Amino acid sequence: MPAILAIESSCDETSAAVCVDGAILSNVIANQTIHEAYGGVVPELASRVHQQNIVPAVQQALFNAKVSKNDIDAVAFTRGPGLLGSLLVGVSFAKAFALARHIPLIEVNHMQAHILAHFIAKKKPAFPFICLTVSGGHTQIVLVKDYFDMEIIGQTLDDAAGEAMDKTSKILGLPYPGGPLIDKNARNGNPDAYQFPEPQIPGFDFSFSGLKTSILYFIRDNVAANPNFIQEHMNDICASVEKRIATILLNKLKRAAQQYGIKHVALAGGVSANTGLRNLLQQMGEQNGWEVFIPKFEYCTDNAAMIAIAGYHKYLKGEFIGQDVAPLARMPF
Ligand code: KG4
Ligand code: ZN
């Protein structure tokens, strides 16, 4: 019955979770609103706010789980990838907690954890499955052969899908993070109102920088002709952009599933909270006879529950790391 305390601090969410014997008992997420005014995450500010939030988040996670710190058997933490200053806060806290309690440390790769969030729910994908991981910093198609045996078969050559959402929202004058606002506006818009190009990239890789430029020029030209263009057509623009990003992602995912003969297909990462993407994937799954796995909303964006479940499976394998561990801004699988 291992009790694991998990810490996530890779970007702008400070999160702590408690997992006992593979069951998530708490998942506390402290969001940072300070970045809204800057149109993106300011790394220096993010690490300072993590510093303020980390102890209260852990205390709340232990309280919600009704688990004493004395009963924790191991500490799992995000080692990378992420912002170095943000990671340092979580890594340092995890090390100090483990040192004080004489318990082992478990390092977790943030991108693997997004995928392993599917093992929190009762209905779990079977290995091997394919996962489309779409976040603010990454866009990957991953062949998941086992818990920690994952192969990236496609990824973005430039911007991530979340970045494309966030940059579009910035062009539209919406605050950061823009993804959820594009989602909200898109629900009342026509996804076929405007056509944006689909990049022609070979294999399973992606590119979103050309799309971003075409959106920028489209808005610039239309605003030149009608200064109220954005306000008058906000919902249709958001719906059309959202649909194009979703179809770019899903067309590649479909080809990957076909080529690898995979029928269990999963979605992970912050952009998996997107309503249009979730609905289109469900439809594609029905058309292709796939079993589709979409995380609960609280496990889409950054959270420590996914770190806890990944840590639990490493605990079972006895995979621990020493006190000399340091965070990694880039961390391959
Ligand atoms: O996984 P995540 O929380 O952090 C990273 O590891 O990057 O992903 C954050 C990204 C942001 O780009 C945010 O705009 C996007 O996920 N996002 C969404 C939605 N919720 C979050 N994008 C579209 N629709 C949403 N509902
Ligand atoms: Zn993430």
Side-chain angles (χ1 to χ4, degrees), residues 61 183 190 300:
D183 188 342
N190 173 10
C300 290

Side-chain angles (χ1 to χ4, degrees), residues 110 114 135-137 162-163 165-166 177-180 183 269-271 273-274 300-302:
H110 180 88
H114 269 302
S135 73
E163 249 175 300
M165 294 274 187
D166 295 338
D183 188 342
V271 183
N274 183 262
C300 290
T301 43
D302 290 348

Side-chain angles (χ1 to χ4, degrees), residues 41-61:
V41 177
V42 184
E44 171 77 19
L45 294 177
S47 54
R48 286 170 192 235
V49 182
H50 282 306
Q51 192 77 268
Q52 290 167 344
N53 288 349
I54 188 98
V55 170
V58 169
Q59 283 172 333
Q60 192 66 47

Side-chain angles (χ1 to χ4, degrees), residues 138-151:
H138 295 80
T139 301
Q140 300 173 335
I141 297 181
V142 183
L143 180 62
V144 188
K145 300 170 203 167
D146 205 343
Y147 291 106
F148 302 102
D149 183 4
M150 304 185 185
E151 185 189 339

Side-chain angles (χ1 to χ4, degrees), residues 250-319:
L250 295 178
N251 288 343
K252 293 270 175 163
L253 182 65
K254 183 174 162 185
R255 284 189 28 227
Q258 283 169 344
Q259 182 163 321
Y260 285 86
I262 299 277
K263 291 282 181 195
H264 279 205
V265 177
L267 192 60
V271 183
S272 64
N274 183 262
T275 316
L277 181 62
R278 291 165 85 99
N279 292 343
L280 284 172
L281 177 59
Q282 286 290 7
Q283 282 171 24
M284 192 174 262
E286 280 157 27
Q287 286 159 6
N288 291 278
W290 298 342
E291 184 124 21
V292 167
F293 297 84
I294 299 178
K296 278 172 66 179
F297 282 110
E298 65 173 312
Y299 303 138
C300 290
T301 43
D302 290 348
N303 67 90
M306 67 185 195
I307 307 303
I309 199 75
Y312 169 70
H313 286 283
K314 281 207 169 173
Y315 185 98
L316 296 182
K317 289 157 70 87
E319 274 189 29

